[in-house]
Structure formats: structure tokens, C-alpha cells
Amino acid sequence: LNIDYIRLYLSSKNPVLAILAVDNELIDTGFRAAKDNTSKFVWNPQLLSPLSYQQILSRPLHAVVCVGYDDFTKEVKLLNSW
């Protein structure tokens, strides 16, 4: 993943589609934050190495749209359907 490409497309006012390989933190905390709608949720997956294609396919996948990037915090702002 090259964050510079995401930043380039976003700065050109283009949305960027992202497919997430869902982990337990996203399921437990992310779904609760979406349901309660009480606070922003920052997902920080801790991967030691990139997932292989087979590992990605073995997990649930979720599509979101990147709509912003914060250069200071280095966070991507995602728009979700739920």
C-alpha cells in the first residue's frame, strides 16, 4: 500500500475504494461504534507482515471509501455504509 497514491487521488477530489480484511478489533469495536454512533473509531491493524492472498480470502472482507487523509496524524478517513 502506497499512501502517496491515496493522498494524490484524494487531493484531486477523487474517492478511493478500499477493501479491508476484517479482524476481531474491527468486528468488536468498530461495529459497536457504528451501532452506538457515539464516538469516532480509529482502527489500527497491527500486522507484522502483509497478508498473503490466501490469508485475505480466508477472512471476511469489507468495502469502504477513503474520503480524507490527515498528514499530522497519518490517518485515513473512511466512509462506511453502516
Side-chain angles (χ1 to χ4, degrees), residues 46-67:
Q46 298 297 315
L47 298 177
L48 298 176
S49 61
L51 296 174
S52 71
Y53 184 68
Q54 290 301 327
Q55 289 171 313
I56 290 171
L57 291 181
S58 70
R59 293 178 178 219
L61 300 177
H62 186 65
V64 294
V65 178
C66 303
V67 295

PDB file of all heavy atoms in Angstrom, residues 46-67:
ATOM      1  N   GLN A  46      -2.614  -4.206  13.515  1.00  0.00           N
ATOM      2  CA  GLN A  46      -1.209  -4.447  13.844  1.00  0.00           C
ATOM      3  C   GLN A  46      -0.731  -5.693  13.103  1.00  0.00           C
ATOM      4  O   GLN A  46      -0.822  -6.795  13.618  1.00  0.00           O
ATOM      5  CB  GLN A  46      -1.030  -4.614  15.349  1.00  0.00           C
ATOM      6  CG  GLN A  46      -1.413  -3.400  16.162  1.00  0.00           C
ATOM      7  CD  GLN A  46      -0.539  -2.206  15.836  1.00  0.00           C
ATOM      8  OE1 GLN A  46       0.676  -2.326  15.742  1.00  0.00           O
ATOM      9  NE2 GLN A  46      -1.151  -1.060  15.647  1.00  0.00           N
ATOM     10  N   LEU A  47      -0.257  -5.506  11.895  1.00  0.00           N
ATOM     11  CA  LEU A  47       0.233  -6.623  11.106  1.00  0.00           C
ATOM     12  C   LEU A  47       1.758  -6.611  11.095  1.00  0.00           C
ATOM     13  O   LEU A  47       2.371  -5.582  10.852  1.00  0.00           O
ATOM     14  CB  LEU A  47      -0.283  -6.533   9.674  1.00  0.00           C
ATOM     15  CG  LEU A  47      -1.799  -6.604   9.504  1.00  0.00           C
ATOM     16  CD1 LEU A  47      -2.157  -6.416   8.039  1.00  0.00           C
ATOM     17  CD2 LEU A  47      -2.320  -7.921  10.011  1.00  0.00           C
ATOM     18  N   LEU A  48       2.335  -7.760  11.374  1.00  0.00           N
ATOM     19  CA  LEU A  48       3.789  -7.855  11.312  1.00  0.00           C
ATOM     20  C   LEU A  48       4.279  -7.955   9.872  1.00  0.00           C
ATOM     21  O   LEU A  48       5.373  -7.541   9.548  1.00  0.00           O
ATOM     22  CB  LEU A  48       4.264  -9.066  12.123  1.00  0.00           C
ATOM     23  CG  LEU A  48       3.927  -9.005  13.607  1.00  0.00           C
ATOM     24  CD1 LEU A  48       4.360 -10.298  14.296  1.00  0.00           C
ATOM     25  CD2 LEU A  48       4.608  -7.820  14.255  1.00  0.00           C
ATOM     26  N   SER A  49       3.462  -8.536   9.017  1.00  0.00           N
ATOM     27  CA  SER A  49       3.795  -8.630   7.606  1.00  0.00           C
ATOM     28  C   SER A  49       2.491  -8.603   6.818  1.00  0.00           C
ATOM     29  O   SER A  49       1.437  -8.937   7.350  1.00  0.00           O
ATOM     30  CB  SER A  49       4.570  -9.915   7.330  1.00  0.00           C
ATOM     31  OG  SER A  49       3.782 -11.033   7.670  1.00  0.00           O
ATOM     32  N   PRO A  50       2.566  -8.225   5.558  1.00  0.00           N
ATOM     33  CA  PRO A  50       1.344  -8.212   4.745  1.00  0.00           C
ATOM     34  C   PRO A  50       0.723  -9.600   4.669  1.00  0.00           C
ATOM     35  O   PRO A  50       1.418 -10.615   4.723  1.00  0.00           O
ATOM     36  CB  PRO A  50       1.838  -7.757   3.369  1.00  0.00           C
ATOM     37  CG  PRO A  50       3.134  -7.079   3.630  1.00  0.00           C
ATOM     38  CD  PRO A  50       3.725  -7.748   4.839  1.00  0.00           C
ATOM     39  N   LEU A  51      -0.583  -9.637   4.533  1.00  0.00           N
ATOM     40  CA  LEU A  51      -1.286 -10.905   4.412  1.00  0.00           C
ATOM     41  C   LEU A  51      -1.088 -11.483   3.016  1.00  0.00           C
ATOM     42  O   LEU A  51      -1.028 -10.750   2.036  1.00  0.00           O
ATOM     43  CB  LEU A  51      -2.782 -10.712   4.650  1.00  0.00           C
ATOM     44  CG  LEU A  51      -3.213 -10.256   6.039  1.00  0.00           C
ATOM     45  CD1 LEU A  51      -4.707  -9.988   6.048  1.00  0.00           C
ATOM     46  CD2 LEU A  51      -2.857 -11.289   7.079  1.00  0.00           C
ATOM     47  N   SER A  52      -1.001 -12.795   2.950  1.00  0.00           N
ATOM     48  CA  SER A  52      -0.953 -13.449   1.643  1.00  0.00           C
ATOM     49  C   SER A  52      -2.349 -13.428   1.034  1.00  0.00           C
ATOM     50  O   SER A  52      -3.343 -13.177   1.718  1.00  0.00           O
ATOM     51  CB  SER A  52      -0.477 -14.897   1.786  1.00  0.00           C
ATOM     52  OG  SER A  52      -1.490 -15.676   2.401  1.00  0.00           O
ATOM     53  N   TYR A  53      -2.420 -13.712  -0.248  1.00  0.00           N
ATOM     54  CA  TYR A  53      -3.705 -13.744  -0.933  1.00  0.00           C
ATOM     55  C   TYR A  53      -4.640 -14.756  -0.278  1.00  0.00           C
ATOM     56  O   TYR A  53      -5.824 -14.482  -0.070  1.00  0.00           O
ATOM     57  CB  TYR A  53      -3.476 -14.074  -2.408  1.00  0.00           C
ATOM     58  CG  TYR A  53      -4.722 -14.033  -3.248  1.00  0.00           C
ATOM     59  CD1 TYR A  53      -5.361 -12.820  -3.499  1.00  0.00           C
ATOM     60  CD2 TYR A  53      -5.260 -15.195  -3.781  1.00  0.00           C
ATOM     61  CE1 TYR A  53      -6.509 -12.761  -4.263  1.00  0.00           C
ATOM     62  CE2 TYR A  53      -6.409 -15.143  -4.553  1.00  0.00           C
ATOM     63  CZ  TYR A  53      -7.028 -13.932  -4.791  1.00  0.00           C
ATOM     64  OH  TYR A  53      -8.160 -13.885  -5.547  1.00  0.00           O
ATOM     65  N   GLN A  54      -4.126 -15.922   0.098  1.00  0.00           N
ATOM     66  CA  GLN A  54      -4.936 -16.954   0.747  1.00  0.00           C
ATOM     67  C   GLN A  54      -5.417 -16.494   2.124  1.00  0.00           C
ATOM     68  O   GLN A  54      -6.543 -16.775   2.520  1.00  0.00           O
ATOM     69  CB  GLN A  54      -4.154 -18.270   0.871  1.00  0.00           C
ATOM     70  CG  GLN A  54      -3.931 -18.952  -0.456  1.00  0.00           C
ATOM     71  CD  GLN A  54      -5.240 -19.286  -1.168  1.00  0.00           C
ATOM     72  OE1 GLN A  54      -6.251 -19.581  -0.569  1.00  0.00           O
ATOM     73  NE2 GLN A  54      -5.213 -19.218  -2.486  1.00  0.00           N
ATOM     74  N   GLN A  55      -4.575 -15.789   2.885  1.00  0.00           N
ATOM     75  CA  GLN A  55      -4.981 -15.269   4.192  1.00  0.00           C
ATOM     76  C   GLN A  55      -6.086 -14.236   4.037  1.00  0.00           C
ATOM     77  O   GLN A  55      -7.019 -14.200   4.831  1.00  0.00           O
ATOM     78  CB  GLN A  55      -3.787 -14.660   4.923  1.00  0.00           C
ATOM     79  CG  GLN A  55      -2.793 -15.675   5.417  1.00  0.00           C
ATOM     80  CD  GLN A  55      -1.542 -15.006   5.935  1.00  0.00           C
ATOM     81  OE1 GLN A  55      -0.973 -14.120   5.292  1.00  0.00           O
ATOM     82  NE2 GLN A  55      -1.103 -15.431   7.109  1.00  0.00           N
ATOM     83  N   ILE A  56      -5.969 -13.398   3.024  1.00  0.00           N
ATOM     84  CA  ILE A  56      -7.003 -12.386   2.790  1.00  0.00           C
ATOM     85  C   ILE A  56      -8.330 -13.061   2.469  1.00  0.00           C
ATOM     86  O   ILE A  56      -9.373 -12.693   3.012  1.00  0.00           O
ATOM     87  CB  ILE A  56      -6.582 -11.426   1.655  1.00  0.00           C
ATOM     88  CG1 ILE A  56      -5.431 -10.541   2.127  1.00  0.00           C
ATOM     89  CG2 ILE A  56      -7.753 -10.574   1.182  1.00  0.00           C
ATOM     90  CD1 ILE A  56      -4.799  -9.721   1.043  1.00  0.00           C
ATOM     91  N   LEU A  57      -8.298 -14.063   1.607  1.00  0.00           N
ATOM     92  CA  LEU A  57      -9.531 -14.744   1.216  1.00  0.00           C
ATOM     93  C   LEU A  57     -10.157 -15.540   2.357  1.00  0.00           C
ATOM     94  O   LEU A  57     -11.348 -15.837   2.319  1.00  0.00           O
ATOM     95  CB  LEU A  57      -9.272 -15.667   0.021  1.00  0.00           C
ATOM     96  CG  LEU A  57      -8.955 -14.956  -1.282  1.00  0.00           C
ATOM     97  CD1 LEU A  57      -8.735 -15.975  -2.386  1.00  0.00           C
ATOM     98  CD2 LEU A  57     -10.048 -13.978  -1.667  1.00  0.00           C
ATOM     99  N   SER A  58      -9.369 -15.877   3.377  1.00  0.00           N
ATOM    100  CA  SER A  58      -9.908 -16.648   4.499  1.00  0.00           C
ATOM    101  C   SER A  58     -10.610 -15.749   5.527  1.00  0.00           C
ATOM    102  O   SER A  58     -11.231 -16.252   6.454  1.00  0.00           O
ATOM    103  CB  SER A  58      -8.792 -17.436   5.185  1.00  0.00           C
ATOM    104  OG  SER A  58      -7.920 -16.566   5.884  1.00  0.00           O
ATOM    105  N   ARG A  59     -10.510 -14.443   5.380  1.00  0.00           N
ATOM    106  CA  ARG A  59     -11.140 -13.502   6.305  1.00  0.00           C
ATOM    107  C   ARG A  59     -12.363 -12.865   5.663  1.00  0.00           C
ATOM    108  O   ARG A  59     -12.449 -12.762   4.443  1.00  0.00           O
ATOM    109  CB  ARG A  59     -10.169 -12.377   6.670  1.00  0.00           C
ATOM    110  CG  ARG A  59      -8.993 -12.821   7.469  1.00  0.00           C
ATOM    111  CD  ARG A  59      -8.109 -11.628   7.716  1.00  0.00           C
ATOM    112  NE  ARG A  59      -6.984 -12.005   8.538  1.00  0.00           N
ATOM    113  CZ  ARG A  59      -6.492 -11.236   9.481  1.00  0.00           C
ATOM    114  NH1 ARG A  59      -6.997 -10.048   9.703  1.00  0.00           N
ATOM    115  NH2 ARG A  59      -5.470 -11.631  10.192  1.00  0.00           N
ATOM    116  N   PRO A  60     -13.282 -12.373   6.506  1.00  0.00           N
ATOM    117  CA  PRO A  60     -14.366 -11.564   5.940  1.00  0.00           C
ATOM    118  C   PRO A  60     -13.766 -10.289   5.345  1.00  0.00           C
ATOM    119  O   PRO A  60     -12.807  -9.745   5.877  1.00  0.00           O
ATOM    120  CB  PRO A  60     -15.251 -11.239   7.142  1.00  0.00           C
ATOM    121  CG  PRO A  60     -14.794 -12.104   8.250  1.00  0.00           C
ATOM    122  CD  PRO A  60     -13.409 -12.543   7.939  1.00  0.00           C
ATOM    123  N   LEU A  61     -14.332  -9.828   4.232  1.00  0.00           N
ATOM    124  CA  LEU A  61     -13.868  -8.597   3.596  1.00  0.00           C
ATOM    125  C   LEU A  61     -14.945  -7.535   3.720  1.00  0.00           C
ATOM    126  O   LEU A  61     -16.131  -7.840   3.781  1.00  0.00           O
ATOM    127  CB  LEU A  61     -13.537  -8.853   2.121  1.00  0.00           C
ATOM    128  CG  LEU A  61     -12.464  -9.895   1.849  1.00  0.00           C
ATOM    129  CD1 LEU A  61     -12.306 -10.097   0.352  1.00  0.00           C
ATOM    130  CD2 LEU A  61     -11.139  -9.507   2.486  1.00  0.00           C
ATOM    131  N   HIS A  62     -14.521  -6.276   3.766  1.00  0.00           N
ATOM    132  CA  HIS A  62     -15.465  -5.171   3.907  1.00  0.00           C
ATOM    133  C   HIS A  62     -14.978  -4.006   3.057  1.00  0.00           C
ATOM    134  O   HIS A  62     -13.803  -3.640   3.098  1.00  0.00           O
ATOM    135  CB  HIS A  62     -15.564  -4.751   5.381  1.00  0.00           C
ATOM    136  CG  HIS A  62     -16.612  -3.723   5.628  1.00  0.00           C
ATOM    137  ND1 HIS A  62     -17.948  -3.971   5.446  1.00  0.00           N
ATOM    138  CD2 HIS A  62     -16.519  -2.433   6.016  1.00  0.00           C
ATOM    139  CE1 HIS A  62     -18.642  -2.882   5.737  1.00  0.00           C
ATOM    140  NE2 HIS A  62     -17.793  -1.934   6.073  1.00  0.00           N
ATOM    141  N   ALA A  63     -15.866  -3.434   2.268  1.00  0.00           N
ATOM    142  CA  ALA A  63     -15.513  -2.312   1.397  1.00  0.00           C
ATOM    143  C   ALA A  63     -15.879  -0.987   2.062  1.00  0.00           C
ATOM    144  O   ALA A  63     -16.943  -0.862   2.669  1.00  0.00           O
ATOM    145  CB  ALA A  63     -16.231  -2.435   0.064  1.00  0.00           C
ATOM    146  N   VAL A  64     -14.991  -0.023   1.961  1.00  0.00           N
ATOM    147  CA  VAL A  64     -15.209   1.339   2.448  1.00  0.00           C
ATOM    148  C   VAL A  64     -14.627   2.304   1.412  1.00  0.00           C
ATOM    149  O   VAL A  64     -13.926   1.884   0.492  1.00  0.00           O
ATOM    150  CB  VAL A  64     -14.547   1.581   3.823  1.00  0.00           C
ATOM    151  CG1 VAL A  64     -15.197   0.739   4.905  1.00  0.00           C
ATOM    152  CG2 VAL A  64     -13.055   1.295   3.767  1.00  0.00           C
ATOM    153  N   VAL A  65     -14.897   3.580   1.581  1.00  0.00           N
ATOM    154  CA  VAL A  65     -14.352   4.603   0.684  1.00  0.00           C
ATOM    155  C   VAL A  65     -13.461   5.535   1.497  1.00  0.00           C
ATOM    156  O   VAL A  65     -13.871   6.029   2.555  1.00  0.00           O
ATOM    157  CB  VAL A  65     -15.491   5.408   0.007  1.00  0.00           C
ATOM    158  CG1 VAL A  65     -14.919   6.508  -0.876  1.00  0.00           C
ATOM    159  CG2 VAL A  65     -16.384   4.494  -0.796  1.00  0.00           C
ATOM    160  N   CYS A  66     -12.244   5.755   1.014  1.00  0.00           N
ATOM    161  CA  CYS A  66     -11.342   6.728   1.631  1.00  0.00           C
ATOM    162  C   CYS A  66     -11.779   8.107   1.161  1.00  0.00           C
ATOM    163  O   CYS A  66     -11.865   8.354  -0.046  1.00  0.00           O
ATOM    164  CB  CYS A  66      -9.904   6.487   1.204  1.00  0.00           C
ATOM    165  SG  CYS A  66      -9.264   4.848   1.560  1.00  0.00           S
ATOM    166  N   VAL A  67     -12.070   8.992   2.110  1.00  0.00           N
ATOM    167  CA  VAL A  67     -12.552  10.329   1.749  1.00  0.00           C
ATOM    168  C   VAL A  67     -11.647  11.436   2.270  1.00  0.00           C
ATOM    169  O   VAL A  67     -11.885  12.609   1.999  1.00  0.00           O
ATOM    170  CB  VAL A  67     -13.998  10.551   2.254  1.00  0.00           C
ATOM    171  CG1 VAL A  67     -14.951   9.614   1.540  1.00  0.00           C
ATOM    172  CG2 VAL A  67     -14.096  10.386   3.756  1.00  0.00           C
TER     173      VAL A  67
END
